[in-house]
Amino acid sequence: MSKLDKSDVEKIAFLARLGIDEQDIPEYATNLSNILDMVEQLDSVNTDDVTPMAHPLDAVQRMRADEVTEVNDRENLQAHAPEVEAGLFLVPRVVE
Amino acid sequence: MYNKTIAELIAGLQAGDFSSVELTQSYLERINALDEQLNSFITVTPELALEQAKQADAQRAAGNAGILNGIPLAQKDIFCTKGVKTSCGSRMLDPFISPYNATTIEKFNQSGAVMLGKTNMDEFAMGSSNETSWYGPVKNPWSLSTVPGGSSGGSAAAVAARLTPAATGTDTGGSIRQPASFCGITGLKPTYGRVSRYGMIAFASSLDQAGPMTRTAEDAALMLNVMAGIDPRDSTSVDAPVPDYSATLNDSLDGLKIGLPKEYFSEGLDDAVAKVIDAAVKEYEKMGATVKEVSLPNSKLAVPTYYIIAPSECSSNLSRMDGVRFGHRCEDPKDLNDLYIRSRGEGFGPEVKRRILVGTYALSEGFYDAYYVKAQKTRRLITNDFNQAFDDVDVIMGPAAPSTAFNIGELTDDPITMYLSDIYTIAVNLAGLPGMSIPAGFVNNMPVGLQLIGKHFSEARLLNIAHQYQQNTDWHNQTPEQFS
C-alpha cells in the first residue's frame, strides 16, 4: 500500500530540503517502503478510544517568568558560523 | 590504576595515593596507546584534561573537593562542550566548536571531574551499531570484528577497554543499554526528564535522556548524583526530589517482586542469551526475590511506534542544521534552496537521511493523523501495559538485546533487522521509564546484559537491585583480554 516511487522520494526530499544523489533514489524508495510497511502493523490495532500520548509523563510545559535572563552573546555565537559580516549571517541573495 | 572503579579512585585520591594529574596522565597514555584499535574517541582533549586535573588537585589541597574531584570521564560527543568540537558523529557538525556547555557538562565541571575527550557515536545518535558515525565504526573490545552497539558505542567501548573509568551516554531507544549489554558494562537510562537535555543535541525530544555508563552500579549512582535534577533551561526536566543514589545501594532485596514479561522470552531471543538471563534471575531468587510472569501484550507495537515517533521528531529537530548559522555549508550555493539542499545532502549520512525522509513523510499534509497521531495512541497502549504490570511487581527483568554483539557490516544493508536489535529497549523510552543493563554473563566470550526496568523515578531502587547483584557476582569485573 505504501509503495513509494522515485517521484515520491524526490518530493519528500525537497520538502526536507535534503539533497540525495540520483543513483541512490531507488534504494531510498525501497528502504522507505519497507519501513512504512513495518509501521503499518499499527493499523491492525483499534485505538478509537485512546488519547494520544505526547509526553511520557503526561506533563505539561512548565512556564517561567517573562524576564530577560540571557545576555547578548552575538560574537561568541557567530564565531564559528560559515559566513558572517557585520554581525549578520550571510546567505545567497534572496531578493533582487 | 586503570582497573579501578570511580569509587576506588575517589578513595585513592582522598588517601593521596595518586594525584588527579597522575591519574589523568595515565588514562591519556592508555587512550594514546590503545584507541587506534577501537576508534572510541572522536576528540581527545589532553590539554584541557590536564588543566582540569591540576585545578582539581589544587581544590583538593585547599579542602574544597567536589564529589567527583579529579575523576577522569569521557563525554559522548552529543553533549555541547565549550571551545571543543561537538560533532554528534556527523560531517554536518564536524566544523562545530560549541560556544556553550551542556548542563550535564557544566555539572560535571562543578563536581571537579576531568574530561578526557569526546566519544564516538552513531550519527546524531541514529543507529544501533556505531557504524553510522562519519568518523568510522567503533570496534567492540571483546572482539574487534564485532560492533560495540549504539548509539553510545564509543562510550561503551572506552569503558569496557578501561580507557576511561566511566562515560556519559544518551538513550532514545536503547542507546545506553544495548551498547552496555554488548560491551559488558553497566548502563542506566533514567526516567524521562530526570536529567537535563539542555545542550544535548536533540534527536527525538519526547524520548531522549542522558545517563551514566560505568563499570558498576555503585559508580552509576555517583554519576547520577551529579547529573540528576531540574534545569530551568530544559522545560521538560522534572521538578522531583533527587535522592542520594548511593545511600540505598545496600538495601535488602528480601521480598523484591520481579516480573518477567513473557513477550521478552519468546521468538527472536537467542537461546544462549535466554539461559544467561534465566541464571541471573535465579541469582536474584537466592537473594530473597520472588519471580512472577507478567504480560506486556502490546510489546510488538513498540518498534513500529518508535519508527514513526523518533523519525518525525528528528526531522523537525534536524531542520536547524541548515548551513546558515553553524555546521557544514556547501561550496558556492547558487540560491538559498541550493544552500539548504546541498549543505544537508553533503552533511548527513544515509541513515540520518532515511529517518529525516520517513519523518518528513509522516508529518506531511494528509498523513499526520494516520502516522504520528496513530503512533501516539499506540504509545499510550504500550505505556498502559507497563503501568498494569507494575501493579503486581517492583521491577521488570529481561534481556537488554536479543543477541550478543553482531559482526561489523552484518546488518548495514538491512535497516529493519538492525532496528529490531532494540526490540527490548525501545518500549521503555516510549513509556519514559528508567532502565538499566548490567553484565550477567557471556555467550562464546561475548557479554550479555540483563535489563532492569523500573517505575518512573525509581532509579535509586534499580541501582540498589543492580548493586546487590554485583555484590554476589563477578561478571562486571571481567576485562577484555587485549585490554587487561
Side-chain angles (χ1 to χ4, degrees):
Chain A
M1 166 204 160
S2 57
K3 189 90 188 124
L4 296 185
D5 61 20
K6 183 169 176 287
S7 74
D8 294 320
V9 173
E10 283 169 345
K11 193 179 137 211
I12 303 163
F14 181 72
L15 286 174
R17 299 296 186 273
L18 189 60
I20 288 178
D21 288 341
E22 185 74 28
Q23 79 258 22
D24 296 335
I25 292 180
E27 201 188 331
Y28 279 109
T30 309
N31 287 162
L32 296 192
S33 297
N34 291 343
I35 294 169
L36 293 174
D37 282 345
M38 188 254 299
V39 304
E40 266 162 27
Q41 287 174 55
L42 301 182
D43 293 343
S44 65
V45 186
N46 184 329
T47 52
D48 289 349
D49 301 320
V50 182
T51 315
M53 184 171 152
H55 187 290
L57 305 172
D58 279 324
V60 291
Q61 201 80 326
R62 191 171 57 246
M63 307 295 264
R64 64 166 176 83
D66 186 16
E67 286 163 359
V68 177
T69 54
E70 300 291 325
V71 294
N72 187 353
D73 197 18
R74 181 185 298 202
E75 232 166 88
N76 177 31
L77 295 174
Q78 289 189 329
H80 300 282
E83 222 183 331
V84 167
E85 200 180 293
L88 304 172
F89 295 104
L90 293 194
V91 294
R93 182 180 291 274
V94 179
V95 183
E96 291 298 331
Chain B
M1 216 157 7
Y2 63 83
N3 236 334
K4 292 193 189 315
T5 64
I6 296 179
E8 290 163 348
L9 292 172
I10 290 175
L13 287 164
Q14 273 168 353
D17 297 344
F18 43 82
S19 69
S20 176
V21 169
E22 287 166 335
L23 182 62
T24 301
Q25 193 76 58
S26 90
Y27 276 108
L28 289 170
E29 280 163 17
R30 228 178 127 71
I31 293 167
N32 203 21
L34 298 172
D35 197 41
E36 213 175 324
Q37 298 174 58
L38 295 175
N39 197 28
S40 68
F41 281 83
I42 291 175
T43 307
V44 184
T45 50
E47 289 93 11
L48 174 70
L50 289 169
E51 191 190 302
Q52 287 179 328
K54 217 183 281 177
Q55 209 179 352
D57 285 336
Q59 279 167 341
R60 184 176 298 283
N64 51 10
I67 56 176
L68 290 182
N69 178 278
I71 300 296
L73 298 176
Q75 303 290 353
K76 185 176 182 181
D77 207 19
I78 198 167
F79 292 99
C80 286
T81 40
K82 190 170 182 172
V84 176
K85 177 163 97 172
T86 300
S87 76
C88 223
S90 181
R91 183 187 180 193
M92 178 59 90
L93 292 181
D94 184 65
F96 180 59
I97 311 290
S98 176
Y100 71 106
N101 276 331
T103 295
T104 292
I105 300 293
E106 208 54 60
K107 286 185 160 194
F108 279 122
N109 286 348
Q110 278 161 19
S111 77
V114 168
M115 184 173 90
L116 295 169
K118 309 287 296 288
T119 55
N120 205 340
M121 55 181 286
D122 279 298
E123 185 178 9
F124 287 105
M126 297 174 203
S128 308
S129 66
N130 219 113
E131 292 169 292
T132 73
S133 169
W134 191 61
Y135 301 90
V138 175
K139 317 278 169 61
N140 188 318
W142 291 95
S143 162
L144 298 179
S145 59
T146 65
V147 303
S151 66
S152 311
S155 291
V159 174
R162 313 301 187 231
L163 303 187
T164 179
T168 49
T170 61
D171 190 316
T172 304
S175 284
I176 287 176
R177 291 159 288 155
Q178 184 253 25
S181 173
F182 281 9
C183 290
I185 65 162
T186 300
L188 166 65
K189 181 206 92 75
T191 307
Y192 179 79
R194 179 75 293 186
V195 173
S196 168
R197 297 185 298 109
Y198 178 77
M200 183 180 117
I201 295 168
F203 159 15
S205 302
S206 76
L207 301 165
D208 296 342
Q209 184 59 199
M213 302 179 79
T214 56
R215 296 265 312 278
T216 63
E218 185 184 21
D219 284 3
L222 288 166
M223 297 263 290
L224 191 62
N225 279 340
V226 173
M227 298 172 81
I230 188 172
D231 178 7
R233 290 180 143 148
D234 172 7
S235 64
T236 62
S237 68
V238 173
D239 191 5
V242 179
D244 176 354
Y245 294 105
S246 301
T248 47
L249 291 173
N250 289 314
D251 285 3
S252 162
L253 299 191
D254 205 29
L256 177 76
K257 286 182 276 182
I258 298 173
L260 301 179
K262 61 178 182 201
E263 293 80 5
Y264 284 25
F265 293 89
S266 57
E267 106 190 82
L269 177 62
D270 182 280
D271 287 340
V273 170
K275 284 202 183 85
V276 169
I277 302 302
D278 287 343
V281 171
K282 292 226 163 59
E283 191 65 41
Y284 275 106
E285 287 181 296
K286 279 195 235 160
M287 290 183 252
T290 58
V291 175
K292 168 178 183 183
E293 187 182 89
V294 294
S295 179
L296 303 170
N298 292 297
S299 288
K300 60 181 186 307
L301 304 180
V303 171
T305 299
Y306 179 87
Y307 278 96
I308 292 298
I309 290 178
S312 296
E313 295 182 8
C314 107
S315 77
S316 168
N317 276 324
L318 267 55
S319 64
R320 72 186 57 144
M321 314 286 166
D322 57 5
V324 174
R325 292 150 301 148
F326 51 85
H328 176 73
R329 173 183 285 205
C330 65
E331 295 279 342
D332 301 321
K334 66 178 192 320
D335 56 34
L336 195 55
N337 266 334
D338 184 46
L339 166 72
Y340 294 147
I341 289 168
R342 277 201 293 132
S343 298
R344 289 163 62 79
E346 293 165 5
F348 294 135
E351 180 61 23
V352 172
K353 286 183 182 172
R354 264 196 289 277
R355 297 202 196 185
I356 291 176
L357 292 171
V358 172
T360 303
Y361 181 73
L363 294 178
S364 62
E365 194 182 354
F367 294 111
Y368 179 77
D369 286 331
Y371 288 110
Y372 194 70
V373 175
K374 180 76 185 182
Q376 285 185 313
K377 290 180 173 181
T378 51
R379 180 177 188 173
R380 186 172 299 280
L381 296 178
I382 291 160
T383 305
N384 290 347
D385 286 353
F386 280 106
N387 291 341
Q388 221 149 47
F390 282 126
D391 283 343
D392 291 332
V393 299
D394 304 310
V395 62
I396 290 172
M397 291 190 188
S403 68
T404 56
F406 43 88
N407 287 323
I408 292 174
E410 191 178 330
L411 300 181
T412 37
D413 294 334
D414 186 359
I416 290 181
T417 309
M418 181 80 87
Y419 296 169
L420 291 173
S421 73
D422 292 326
I423 191 162
Y424 303 127
T425 47
I426 272 178
V428 176
N429 298 75
L430 291 168
L433 299 166
M436 285 187 83
S437 176
I438 56 173
F442 290 83
V443 170
N444 297 327
N445 285 325
M446 295 304 287
V448 173
L450 169 72
Q451 184 174 209
L452 316 176
I453 304 167
K455 300 172 193 177
H456 289 130
F457 301 105
S458 68
E459 288 83 0
R461 186 62 168 154
L462 286 184
L463 288 161
N464 161 232
I465 293 167
H467 180 69
Q468 289 308 306
Y469 181 77
Q470 294 180 339
Q471 297 301 101
N472 288 282
T473 57
D474 202 31
W475 305 116
H476 59 292
N477 287 324
Q478 307 304 312
T479 313
E481 207 174 280
Q482 268 176 281
F483 299 90
S484 56

